[in-house]
């Protein structure tokens, strides 16, 4: 009898937690989801009820040279940043495994310091440096600056993937006569690949969504999509911004789904090993 009552009580508590989490999730997501119907508004104002259902704002961003150029700039910068940040972050995470606990903690704090410094401080410092070096308003300057902000996320994700990694596997590969490069390529990389790919996704999203650094470094010919949206809101609020926002929401949801699939694949790989 007591076990039945206890089981019923656990189910009630669990159900209450689900309801509470659902309410919190709805509270956080509802303002974002409210933008999506506005992107299909046939009118020229951001208001409910809708003046009609239309794809006019999607057609506008698809045919506007400003929006298309901003999108291409963001894709170029974010893709290059993801590649560079993933390479540097993965090497840093693997290298941290070779140090002792105190040294590893100090180096980790140093490598993750861009997450603790306000972005505006980083943007001003990078602008002063890159202006002197002639890297302002260049793809190279934007990629290097975004890599500084994105690499810490790669380090965190790859280090999490390495937490369950058995270093004895590396020793076993070396004891069988495999050179270090082959051990890394055949043993380490396949096991942490899901974590590396997840870090690349986070690096891409960090760069693609960065606005503050772009304000300082991106000139008229290097305007990114978030910067184009920011300037559009500042000058005039056009419903075309809601169409761009909807596309970004769907893209972010797909990327987060990809990260979750990679996380599950990584967990299953650890269990099988």
């Amino acid at each position: 009898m007591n076990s039945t009552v206890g089981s019923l009580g656990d189910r009630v508590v669990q159900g209450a937690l689900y309801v509470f989490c659902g309410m919190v999730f709805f509270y956080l997501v509802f303002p974002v989801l409210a933008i999506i119907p506005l992107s299909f508004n046939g009118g020229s104002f951001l208001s409910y009820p809708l003046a009609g259902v239309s794809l006019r704002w999607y057609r506008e961003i698809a045919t506007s040279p400003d929006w298309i150029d901003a999108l291409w700039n963001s894709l170029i910068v974010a893709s290059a940043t993801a590649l560079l940040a993933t390479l540097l972050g993965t090497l840093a995470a693997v290298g941290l495994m070779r140090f002792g606990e105190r040294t590893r903690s100090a180096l980790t704090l140093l490598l993750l310091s861009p997450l603790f410094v306000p972005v505006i401080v980083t943007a001003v410092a990078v602008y002063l440096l890159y202006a002197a070096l002639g890297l302002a308003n260049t793809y190279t300057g934007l990629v290097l600056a975004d890599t500084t902000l994105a690499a810490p996320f790669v380090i965190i994700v790859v280090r999490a993937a390495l937490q369950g990694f058995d270093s004895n596997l590396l020793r076993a590969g070396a004891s069988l006569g495999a050179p270090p490069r082959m051990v890394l390529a055949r043993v380490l990389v396949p096991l942490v690949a899901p974590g590396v790919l997840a870090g690349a996704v986070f690096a891409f999203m960090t760069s693609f969504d960065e606005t503050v650094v772009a304000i300082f470094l991106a000139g008229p010919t290097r305007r990114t999509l978030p910067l184009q949206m920011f300037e559009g809101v500042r000058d005039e609020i056009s419903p075309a911004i809601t169409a761009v926002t909807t596309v970004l929401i769907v893209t972010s949801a797909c990327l987060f789904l990809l990260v979750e699939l990679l996380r599950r694949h990584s967990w299953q790989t650890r269990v099988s090993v």
Side-chain angles (χ1 to χ4, degrees):
M1 180 66 180
N2 292 333
S3 61
T4 303
V5 175
S7 177
L8 180 59
D10 293 339
R11 292 181 180 179
V12 171
V13 172
Q14 186 178 11
L17 288 176
Y18 281 142
V19 172
F20 177 75
C21 292
M23 294 174 61
V24 172
F25 178 79
F26 179 79
Y27 174 77
L28 295 175
V29 175
F30 179 75
V32 178
L33 297 180
I35 298 176
I36 296 178
L38 290 175
S39 65
F40 298 98
N41 187 14
S44 301
F45 300 97
L46 300 178
S47 61
Y48 283 103
L50 302 180
V53 179
S54 174
L55 297 176
R56 59 177 294 194
W57 304 116
Y58 289 93
R59 288 193 295 267
E60 178 174 331
I61 64 175
T63 57
S64 173
D66 294 335
W67 288 110
I68 294 176
D69 291 343
L71 176 61
W72 278 113
N73 288 333
S74 292
L75 290 176
I76 292 173
V77 173
S79 299
T81 299
L83 291 175
L84 185 58
T86 301
L87 176 62
L88 297 178
T90 302
L91 293 177
V94 174
L96 289 173
M97 296 175 55
R98 300 180 177 272
F99 293 97
E101 185 63 30
R102 292 185 178 179
T103 306
R104 186 189 306 129
S105 299
L107 290 176
T108 301
L109 183 62
L110 178 63
L111 293 173
L112 300 184
S113 58
L115 297 179
F116 312 136
V117 178
V119 180
I120 184 65
V121 176
T122 303
V124 172
V126 169
Y127 170 75
L128 294 177
L129 176 62
Y130 287 2
L133 298 177
L135 293 177
N137 191 26
T138 62
Y139 284 129
T140 302
L142 286 172
V143 170
L144 293 178
D146 287 351
T147 300
T148 303
L149 301 175
F153 291 98
V154 180
I155 295 175
I156 292 174
V157 176
V158 176
R159 280 203 64 189
L162 290 172
Q163 289 295 328
F165 180 77
D166 188 0
S167 58
N168 291 325
L169 296 175
L170 299 179
R171 300 187 183 95
S175 66
L176 295 175
R181 291 182 179 179
M182 183 175 294
V183 172
L184 292 177
R186 299 288 184 87
V187 179
L188 180 62
V189 172
L191 292 177
V192 300
V196 174
L197 293 177
V201 172
F202 278 112
F204 181 88
M205 295 173 61
T206 301
S207 175
F208 195 86
D209 191 50
E210 179 54 47
T211 306
V212 180
V213 172
I215 291 176
F216 285 86
L217 294 182
T221 59
R222 297 292 184 268
R223 185 178 289 117
T224 60
L225 189 60
L227 182 57
Q228 180 70 22
M229 296 175 63
F230 177 79
E231 292 184 353
V233 173
R234 184 184 61 185
D235 297 337
E236 61 172 337
I237 301 179
S238 171
I241 297 177
T242 62
V244 178
T245 303
T246 302
V247 174
L248 294 180
I249 291 173
V250 175
T251 303
S252 299
C254 293
L255 291 177
F256 275 118
L257 179 60
L258 177 60
V259 170
E260 178 63 18
L261 294 176
L262 291 173
R263 186 189 66 83
R264 293 186 179 184
H265 181 271
S266 177
W267 182 81
Q268 293 175 357
T269 302
R270 292 182 190 178
V271 172
S272 61
V273 172

